[in-house]
Amino acid sequence: MALVGTGLMGGSLGLAARSRFPDLTVVGWDDPATMQMALRTGAISQAGSSLAETVRGADLVVVCTPVGTALDILGEIGESVSDHAVITDIGSVKQPVATRASKVLPSSVLFIGGHPMTGSEKSGVEHADALLYENATWILTPPAHEDARYHGLVSFLGRLGARIMELPADRHDAIAARVSHLPQLLAVLLVNVISSDRHRYPELLEMAAGGFRDMTRIASSPFAMWRDILASNDREIHAVLSAFSDRLQALSNAVRDADLPSIAASFNDAEQTRDFVPSDRKGFLHPLSNIYVFADDKPGALVRITSTLFDARINIRDIELLRIREGTGGTFRLGFVSPEHATSAVEALTEVGIRAYRL
């Protein structure tokens, strides 16, 4: 596998692939300092001497760069990739990349647009995580014609813990503008509004409680990560911003006119729709089966839970601390691949005296 770009996303992919496929050779290409860090962390097994040498002979080439850079890279590697190669990317916009690939890559090469719906506010290979793609939705744009190589890519990503969703490139871009690109821009604006009033209200940030932090977490994402996304998907982003602007104006008018029934209708609609957004997994595919476990506030409590399930050979797919009270304990949500696994987990934990239940 060739990784063109070994930062957070590429580095995490390398770590995940090498941990699950020990015999896989992962060759990376990036600036020299980043490649050396990728080698030290184990994200890659070899550093490429050039872009051409990195992709030459690779069965799978993954372009892990911003969209603008990916467009250039596809043009540069066309003469170096193997005829049998599969090339994919991880960009947040798919149509421009697919169009570029169709123009510059040999017809024998299979290009599949990809977008793993995961990430971090951090950047750089030093923050790479082998579990970043675990239980994450990974969008793939399937080929127009049947190709066994595509099924091989699906199987490979599935072994990394990803959940595959197939979408045409244009449909992906329309959806991403609504559930990813718009929230990013709104988070930035929310923080901008607060920032502009800090001199008037010095206590402002002290009163910014959990709700504000939750809504603005992604505002810390650097603009460098978003520059190409905004430029490449500008039409869809503009459309959804316009729709949001219309709704914001309507809400403003309702507040001005004290039209509480109208505002209540908006709250009710939001509540009902929000309840359908999965909270127990990354992305928007089949949900996990949850159990809830109470852990005492004492050293080793979480280790006891995970060790019990390890001994019972029950694999935890997701874990989240829901609440904790100092001196008392906390409640964890544990996610499992099936209801049967969840039921077995409750039985195993209850047997050793740990409080666990399913809703």
Side-chain angles (χ1 to χ4, degrees):
M1 179 170 72
L3 289 178
V4 183
T6 57
L8 170 74
M9 302 296 285
S12 297
L13 182 56
L15 288 173
R18 296 192 71 200
S19 67
R20 289 162 177 78
F21 301 93
D23 296 330
L24 178 67
T25 299
V26 180
V27 184
W29 173 250
D30 212 310
D31 65 80
T34 301
M35 282 196 293
Q36 288 306 310
M37 175 68 75
L39 281 170
R40 288 197 297 271
T41 60
I44 59 176
S45 47
Q46 297 178 23
S49 58
S50 67
L51 179 57
E53 285 300 316
T54 299
V55 303
R56 185 171 287 120
D59 301 295
L60 173 63
V61 177
V62 188
V63 181
C64 303
T65 68
V67 175
T69 305
L71 298 177
D72 294 333
I73 286 171
L74 290 175
E76 295 179 30
I77 65 175
E79 296 183 356
S80 303
V81 292
S82 301
D83 290 341
H84 68 274
V86 176
I87 301 178
T88 188
D89 73 314
I90 63 166
S92 299
V93 183
K94 298 272 63 77
Q95 189 62 61
V97 182
T99 301
R100 176 68 169 167
S102 67
K103 293 179 179 179
V104 300
L105 294 177
S107 58
S108 60
V109 169
L110 178 65
F111 176 80
I112 301 294
H115 179 200
M117 302 288 287
T118 185
S120 170
E121 298 79 48
K122 306 293 186 180
S123 61
V125 66
E126 62 270 23
H127 299 293
D129 182 355
L131 298 179
L132 184 67
Y133 300 103
E134 184 75 27
N135 202 34
T137 298
W138 197 306
I139 310 295
L140 292 178
T141 59
H145 305 289
E146 183 71 16
D147 193 310
R149 291 174 294 179
Y150 173 69
H151 300 293
L153 176 62
V154 170
S155 175
F156 174 75
L157 297 178
R159 291 281 299 276
L160 303 186
R163 299 177 172 213
I164 305 303
M165 175 186 282
E166 297 180 339
L167 282 176
D170 56 348
R171 188 173 182 86
H172 165 276
D173 292 352
I175 294 173
R178 287 155 175 78
V179 301
S180 177
H181 308 162
L182 176 64
Q184 174 64 44
L185 295 175
L186 297 186
V188 169
L189 286 180
L190 280 172
V191 176
N192 291 159
V193 169
I194 296 300
S195 179
S196 65
D197 283 337
R198 287 176 63 186
H199 67 286
R200 295 176 58 195
Y201 307 108
E203 307 87 359
L204 194 150
L205 292 182
E206 296 297 324
M207 294 180 62
F212 181 81
R213 289 195 301 270
D214 290 345
M215 291 183 66
T216 59
R217 175 183 59 83
I218 56 177
S220 299
S221 298
F223 178 67
M225 293 175 55
W226 284 91
R227 183 194 312 272
D228 291 347
I229 295 173
L230 299 177
S232 301
N233 204 27
D234 55 332
R235 185 174 65 177
E236 289 291 349
I237 294 173
H238 181 265
V240 73
L241 279 173
S242 295
F244 182 85
S245 178
D246 292 342
R247 286 183 173 269
L248 183 61
Q249 185 61 58
L251 178 60
S252 178
N253 294 341
V255 172
R256 180 198 60 201
D257 300 335
D259 184 0
L260 297 183
S262 175
I263 299 173
S266 294
F267 269 68
N268 291 336
D269 179 65
E271 179 184 8
Q272 293 176 26
T273 302
R274 180 64 174 79
D275 287 344
F276 284 96
V277 178
S279 62
D280 51 4
R281 53 192 161 86
K282 303 174 184 176
F284 297 91
L285 292 182
H286 308 295
L288 298 175
S289 296
N290 291 326
I291 71 170
Y292 299 86
V293 184
F294 180 81
D296 294 323
D297 183 16
K298 61 177 63 174
L302 181 57
V303 172
R304 185 170 176 236
I305 294 171
T306 56
S307 297
T308 298
L309 296 177
F310 174 81
D311 292 340
R313 297 296 186 266
I314 302 172
N315 185 37
I316 303 171
R317 294 298 300 270
D318 195 22
I319 185 168
E320 177 185 13
L321 176 60
L322 297 178
R323 61 186 67 87
I324 188 167
R325 292 185 178 181
E326 188 173 355
T328 302
T331 301
F332 286 90
R333 177 188 61 78
L334 305 184
F336 301 88
V337 72
S338 70
E340 293 75 19
H341 283 74
T343 299
S344 297
V346 170
E347 293 172 351
L349 293 170
T350 302
E351 188 174 328
V352 298
I354 298 174
R355 284 180 281 172
Y357 61 94
R358 296 186 63 193
L359 292 179

